[in-house]
Amino acid sequence: MLKIDSHQHFWNYTSDMDSWINDEMAVLRNDFMPEDLRPLLMQSGFDGCVAVQADQSPEENNFLLKHAEDNDFIMGVVGWVDLRAEDLSEQLSELSRHKKLKGFRHILQGEEDRALMLQPDFLRGIGELKKHGFTYDVLIYPDQLQYLLGMLKANPGQPFVLDHIAKPDIKNNSIGDWKVRLEDLKGFDNLYCKVSGMVTEADWKNWKQEDFIPYLDVIFETFGADRVMFGSDWPVCLVAASYAEVNTILETYISNLSLNEQELFWGGNAVKFYNLN
C-alpha cells in the first residue's frame, strides 16, 4: 500500500516566526528539515510526502523546491504566490517549469478580511491556477466556510483541498456550526479534504481517540472515501502529539473501511489530486 503524508512543513526557525509560534509552542522553536522527517516517515511506513508552505514569500518556493530536488521522498510542493499580482499569469508560467511544484496556498485563516477569498482580484488569481495546472490548498477557520462556498461556485473546475478539516474547535467539543457549513459543500466534487491538524485543535495535553470520532464521521460522510487524504501537519502536530500518534489516530479510525478505501486515504487520493509521480 502506497502511503503519502499529504501535509507537512520544513523551516529554518527565526524569531520572526514568533507571531504564531508562542511560548506554548516552544517545541517548534527549532529547525525542521528533511533529515528530521525521513526517519519518522520510514518508521510509520510512508513512501513520501508533500511539503506545504509556512512562509508567504517567493523565497519559500525556492527553499521547498531545493529540498524536493535533493530528496526523492518529497514528492510534491505546495508553495505561495501573490494571487492578486497583476503579472500572476507570467509568474505561474515561469513556476510551472518546476515539476514538483503542484499548487499554492495563502494563509487565509490569518486575514483580517475573513471573506478575502471572494475579492475580485483574489478570485481572478484562483482562476489563473487551473490554466497552469495548479491546485489550491484552502487554509481557513470554520467561520470562513461560508465564503469557501462562494469561491467554489466561482471556480467549478479548479482542484481545491481543504486543509486541517477547517480547524473545528475539538477541544471544546464544538461541532454544530462547523458541521452545518461543511455539509453545504457536499456537492462539490472538485473539493478534497486533508484529514490533518486535528490534534492541534484538541486539548493538547489530554486528547483521546474518541475526541476525534464525531469530526471524522462528518468528514467521511461529506467527502466520501475518494476525496480524503492523510496529512500529519508535522512538525506543528508536535505541540500535542508525536508523528506516530497522529498516524495511529487515523489508522484506528479507518480500520473498518475496505482495503480499497484505505488505499485511497493513505495515498491514492493524494496521488490523484496532486498528480504525483
Side-chain angles (χ1 to χ4, degrees):
M1 182 188 297
L2 182 68
K3 291 184 73 173
I4 296 168
D5 182 345
S6 73
H7 197 103
Q8 50 74 215
H9 307 282
F10 300 116
W11 64 66
N12 284 311
Y13 177 75
T14 66
S15 57
D16 291 343
M17 298 179 79
D18 260 335
S19 59
W20 71 275
I21 299 181
N22 58 32
D23 290 342
E24 285 185 294
M25 302 178 175
V27 67
L28 303 182
R29 289 175 173 162
N30 289 288
D31 294 347
F32 292 94
M33 293 294 165
E35 56 267 29
D36 302 311
L37 178 62
R38 186 188 289 108
L40 300 177
L41 291 173
M42 292 179 66
Q43 287 161 18
S44 291
F46 282 87
D47 301 280
C49 65
V50 176
V52 179
Q53 64 84 223
D55 181 52
Q56 302 199 135
S57 70
E59 291 75 26
E60 179 80 340
N61 297 333
N62 298 331
F63 171 73
L64 293 177
L65 287 167
K66 180 66 170 70
H67 285 312
E69 183 182 315
D70 294 343
N71 297 274
D72 288 343
F73 73 87
I74 304 173
M75 302 170 75
V77 166
V78 175
W80 181 86
V81 68
D82 182 359
L83 290 168
R84 293 172 286 179
E86 290 186 7
D87 66 340
L88 178 63
S89 184
E90 290 79 3
Q91 288 189 52
L92 293 177
S93 292
E94 178 68 19
L95 288 165
S96 64
R97 295 186 302 109
H98 301 282
K99 298 308 177 190
K100 282 193 174 182
L101 184 58
K102 301 301 180 179
F104 298 96
R105 184 177 82 156
H106 185 81
I107 302 177
L108 286 167
Q109 68 173 27
E111 290 289 348
E112 190 173 334
D113 179 0
R114 308 306 285 160
L116 177 67
M117 68 191 89
L118 295 182
Q119 293 295 333
D121 54 353
F122 196 92
L123 284 175
R124 179 186 62 82
I126 292 289
E128 288 291 327
L129 296 181
K130 186 186 175 189
K131 299 176 188 176
H132 298 271
F134 288 117
T135 63
Y136 185 73
D137 271 57
V138 184
L139 178 62
I140 56 175
Y141 280 118
D143 69 294
Q144 294 168 291
L145 282 168
Q146 58 188 313
Y147 309 121
L148 173 55
L149 185 62
M151 186 163 69
L152 289 167
K153 288 179 177 177
N155 294 276
Q158 170 61 37
F160 292 100
V161 61
L162 183 63
D163 288 354
H164 311 325
I165 70 171
K167 296 195 163 186
D169 184 3
I170 298 172
K171 182 177 181 179
N172 293 306
N173 301 311
S174 176
I175 196 168
D177 288 347
W178 168 83
K179 178 181 179 181
V180 170
R181 288 172 175 166
L182 203 62
E183 287 173 342
D184 287 341
L185 309 175
K186 197 167 186 175
F188 294 92
D189 292 342
N190 57 323
L191 177 65
Y192 284 60
C193 184
K194 288 184 181 177
V195 184
S196 59
M198 295 192 305
V199 292
T200 54
E201 303 310 313
D203 184 331
W204 292 358
K205 304 295 185 187
N206 301 295
W207 61 263
K208 320 178 286 300
Q209 174 79 26
E210 307 87 78
D211 297 339
F212 306 109
I213 292 174
Y215 300 90
L216 290 167
D217 286 346
V218 171
I219 290 299
F220 276 81
E221 169 62 26
T222 302
F223 292 93
D226 57 349
R227 285 188 290 126
V228 288
M229 60 185 87
F230 172 82
S232 68
D233 198 26
W234 179 91
V236 184
C237 67
L238 298 178
V239 300
S242 69
Y243 193 98
E245 285 174 324
V246 172
N247 185 57
T248 299
I249 290 168
L250 278 308
E251 210 167 50
T252 302
Y253 181 82
I254 70 164
S255 61
N256 291 325
L257 298 183
S258 71
L259 180 59
N260 179 62
E261 289 171 331
Q262 292 184 44
E263 289 175 343
L264 289 174
F265 175 76
W266 288 120
N269 292 334
V271 168
K272 180 181 178 183
F273 182 81
Y274 284 121
N275 190 28
L276 303 176
N277 296 321

